[in-house]
Amino acid sequence: MQVYLPIAEMSVDALLLLGIGFGVGWLSGLFGVGGGFLLTPLLILIGVPSAVAVASGANQTIGASVSGLMSNLRRGTVDVKMGLVLLAGGFLGSALGVQVFALLRRAGAVDVVVALFYVVVLGVVGLLMVRESLRAILRRRRAGPPARLHEHFWAHGLPLKTRFRKSRLYISVIPPLGIGVVIGFLSAIMGVGGGFMLVPAMIYLLGMPTLTVIGTSLFQVVFVAANVTVLQAWQNGTVDVVLTLLLVAGGVAGAQFGSALGTRLRGEETRALLGAMVLAVAAALLWDLVRVPDNPFAIGRTPS
Amino acid sequence: MIRALLPPMLLPMLLLLSAAPAAAQGDRTLVSRLSDARVEITTAFTGADIIVFGATERALGGDHGRDVLIRVEGPPQSMTVRRRVQVAGLWVPGPSATFPAVPSFYALAGTRPHWEVLSEAERAAARLGLINLPMRSVGEQAPVFRAALLTLKQEAGLWIEQPGEVTVDGGRLFSARIPLPASVAPGEYRVSVLLVEGGRVTAWEEHRLAVDRVGTAATIAGLAVHWPLLYGIGSALLAALAGWAGSILFRRG
């Protein structure tokens, strides 16, 4: 069944979009991440223009994350104060990101810059994930001493210290604000929620307890994605809501199956698998940048 | 939809046209029609065929030195051609050329190849053939950019130039099928039918074809263009609503 995407101005098989949504949703349910980092490259692969894929990817992230946020709010595992600090940074970062995106579009560099960001960010995050999870697996085998609650380093010596009661932290607001800005910026450029970067940042940089990490990151992801969606639609006109809704429909179905399987896997193995997948996506995108293109020329409508 | 309706529709129309008394058509040497004055882009749009058909007073064909050319031209668009160059092992976007006003769609069909029918000067004057499109550009002037635009537009099925697409029945009835791909730009298209006799255009007709987005596709595109802020907020809310409703619908256990 073909469906015409009014903003992308192309005709795509609706079942293909539902299937991509389902597959990404399944993996995101399994690994507990939004899956935007897989979705946007897949959309570009099937011929959706990069600009539309990024903007609609951010839009889709809202749908993929909202139910998770709601159940975390109900369980009281969201540190709202921390979330608001992250969000303040996130709004700033994503507003900046959308401006940069508009500039790139005018320079005709969106495709390459988006791909480069993916390669670098996914490469680094994937390597860190694989390394960390392999260490955890080895540590478990050797049954060594448990890790400390959290490490103290320079970031904890900054001014503007605030108490985050729910996360049992007394730290400066500058690190979470900074993390918010960076993730917000990447979210706008890459069309991802950023959960896969935010969660490790919260654990390793802020030292937040695992209990509040997922809920709080979802809080940030949903609102930053909403901000990116509105700004992309407003400034670049690249959000395709038909595309978004098809992906969300497939995604929520897939996520339920994925999370059912996810509860049966061990944390470290899941993280190692996720890391390997992130690395595979990065490698595929890098290959696309390095190999000699079939046609060095590309045409497109001149962006206004 | 249009594709499915056409073949049964076309025959009776052609018969009607040819059976009409000569007086009703006055002294016109060429009569032509479009199968549809409007192509609708719905959310189920996968492209459409437009059929141009008609009749001439005198017999067509190479032996008589009489041919029909059909040209379809879409609204002008500004296109940018960009070349990727290798920098430090990576293929990054390099120089570009912008063509401020090239037709978004262009098709030329004829009973014979147009270069056999008309002289080069005549073709240039009448804007017939892809090489006669106005391709002034801003930026890089190298001819490869022009060539790339020609190739890529043709690969996308948006610029078509194939000879022998107009079929002739009984010497005087002609018809041609022009395929519009799903990626056509909406707007007003002009369809010209030219009768060429002895190397000169002796009669011509022009029709207007509206390619419009309709229904949901039109509403969405309209909102996105005219009310972008509202559209953005709506998209965000819709995605949230769909995600929430979906998680209830698909909840297991």
Side-chain angles (χ1 to χ4, degrees):
Chain A
M1 199 189 83
Q2 295 285 316
V3 62
Y4 181 80
L5 305 176
I7 305 298
E9 288 186 348
M10 61 184 290
S11 177
V12 194
D13 192 346
L15 290 178
L16 178 68
L17 289 181
L18 285 172
I20 288 178
F22 188 91
V24 171
W26 186 80
L27 290 170
S28 70
L30 179 61
F31 297 128
V33 291
F37 71 92
L38 276 175
L39 188 73
T40 308
L42 274 176
L43 289 180
I44 294 171
L45 195 73
I46 64 164
V48 176
S50 295
V52 177
V54 166
S56 309
N59 195 185
Q60 181 272 347
T61 303
I62 306 173
S65 313
V66 75
S67 68
L69 172 62
M70 280 163 67
S71 61
N72 274 287
L73 278 172
R74 239 178 281 125
R75 272 183 268 137
T77 48
V78 179
D79 185 337
V80 176
K81 192 173 175 187
M82 177 65 85
L84 286 174
V85 172
L86 283 167
L87 198 56
F91 274 0
L92 199 71
S94 55
L96 192 73
V98 173
Q99 300 300 328
V100 171
F101 196 82
L103 280 178
L104 290 175
R105 220 156 90 87
R106 251 171 265 136
V110 162
D111 299 19
V112 171
V113 174
V114 167
L116 267 180
F117 263 96
Y118 264 95
V119 169
V120 174
V121 173
L122 294 187
V124 170
V125 172
L127 278 176
L128 288 176
M129 274 180 176
V130 170
R131 202 183 67 153
E132 183 273 333
S133 50
L134 286 182
R135 271 191 188 164
I137 292 170
L138 288 176
R139 203 185 305 132
R140 197 179 70 220
R141 296 252 165 92
R142 277 195 249 114
R148 253 192 295 168
L149 188 65
H150 64 261
E151 316 266 328
H152 278 267
F153 56 104
W154 63 268
H156 296 96
L158 291 168
L160 290 172
K161 283 206 165 199
T162 312
R163 194 167 296 284
F164 295 97
R165 211 167 291 281
K166 207 152 225 165
S167 300
R168 292 196 209 92
L169 280 178
Y170 181 61
I171 56 166
S172 160
V173 295
I174 294 169
L177 211 57
I179 290 172
V181 171
V182 172
I183 307 281
F185 182 81
L186 293 177
S187 174
I189 298 277
M190 299 169 64
V192 295
F196 69 98
M197 298 176 280
L198 193 54
V199 170
M202 289 162 100
I203 294 176
Y204 300 115
L205 296 183
L206 301 181
M208 280 174 68
T210 350
L211 184 71
T212 55
V213 161
I214 299 294
T216 311
S217 82
L218 283 170
F219 183 86
Q220 143 98 355
V221 163
V222 166
F223 288 104
V224 166
N227 188 41
V228 171
T229 303
V230 172
L231 290 178
Q232 288 280 24
W234 192 22
Q235 304 216 315
N236 296 328
T238 44
V239 175
D240 198 311
V241 76
V242 175
L243 176 61
T244 304
L245 291 181
L246 282 167
L247 294 171
V248 170
V252 286
Q256 305 299 321
F257 289 94
S259 59
L261 180 66
T263 50
R264 273 183 268 139
L265 283 176
R266 285 186 98 110
E268 293 85 16
E269 271 91 7
T270 322
R271 287 209 296 281
L273 270 178
L274 177 61
M277 206 167 62
V278 168
L279 278 181
V281 175
L285 290 170
L286 181 63
W287 169 239
D288 215 43
L289 280 175
V290 171
R291 79 187 168 97
V292 179
D294 301 330
N295 187 347
F297 290 95
I299 57 169
R301 224 177 292 168
T302 313
S304 44
Chain B
M1 202 185 82
I2 293 165
R3 215 174 277 230
L5 276 177
L6 273 177
M9 231 170 63
L10 182 63
L11 258 178
M13 279 169 114
L14 272 175
L15 288 175
L16 213 92
L17 199 71
S18 60
Q25 290 171 10
D27 53 356
R28 284 154 75 189
T29 53
L30 169 74
V31 182
S32 62
R33 292 285 182 273
L34 294 186
S35 54
D36 258 299
R38 186 170 143 100
V39 170
E40 298 186 335
I41 301 183
T42 61
T43 38
F45 185 67
T46 56
D49 283 347
I50 46 172
I51 310 268
V52 187
F53 60 95
T56 52
E57 200 178 38
R58 278 165 291 177
L60 288 165
D63 318 338
H64 309 280
R66 206 170 285 124
D67 291 278
V68 167
L69 295 178
I70 295 170
R71 178 186 60 199
V72 181
E73 203 174 323
Q77 252 179 2
S78 178
M79 295 294 292
T80 298
V81 182
R82 200 172 284 278
R83 181 185 207 157
R84 288 220 268 169
V85 290
Q86 206 170 16
V87 175
L90 299 179
W91 288 88
V92 300
S96 69
T98 296
F99 298 81
V102 289
S104 53
F105 180 86
Y106 185 94
L108 181 63
T111 45
R112 272 194 299 156
H114 58 276
W115 56 86
E116 287 179 18
V117 172
L118 278 173
S119 70
E120 209 177 303
E122 293 266 355
R123 275 182 274 136
R127 248 170 93 147
L128 290 170
L130 292 179
I131 59 157
N132 293 314
L133 290 179
M135 301 245 279
R136 268 179 301 277
S137 64
V138 186
E140 282 293 319
Q141 293 296 329
V144 277
F145 286 88
R146 216 185 120 128
L149 182 63
L150 276 167
T151 317
L152 290 169
K153 271 285 202 182
Q154 288 185 81
E155 277 175 10
L158 289 166
W159 286 2
I160 310 164
E161 185 185 62
Q162 285 154 348
E165 266 185 349
V166 178
T167 53
V168 178
D169 287 301
R172 293 172 50 233
L173 297 179
F174 64 86
S175 68
R177 178 187 295 265
I178 313 282
L180 298 179
S183 53
V184 285
E188 194 176 70
Y189 285 58
R190 286 184 315 169
V191 182
S192 313
V193 183
L194 295 87
L195 177 64
V196 182
E197 290 175 296
R200 298 216 159 275
V201 177
T202 53
W204 63 280
E205 284 198 336
E206 193 172 283
H207 306 276
R208 297 195 178 270
L209 171 75
V211 177
D212 297 323
R213 290 201 186 94
V214 295
T216 320
T219 314
I220 291 171
L223 264 177
V225 172
H226 300 296
W227 304 92
L229 185 59
L230 194 71
Y231 171 77
I233 295 171
S235 300
L237 289 178
L238 261 179
L241 197 69
W244 172 72
S247 70
I248 291 175
L249 198 67
F250 292 105
R251 186 169 290 162
R252 303 169 85 237

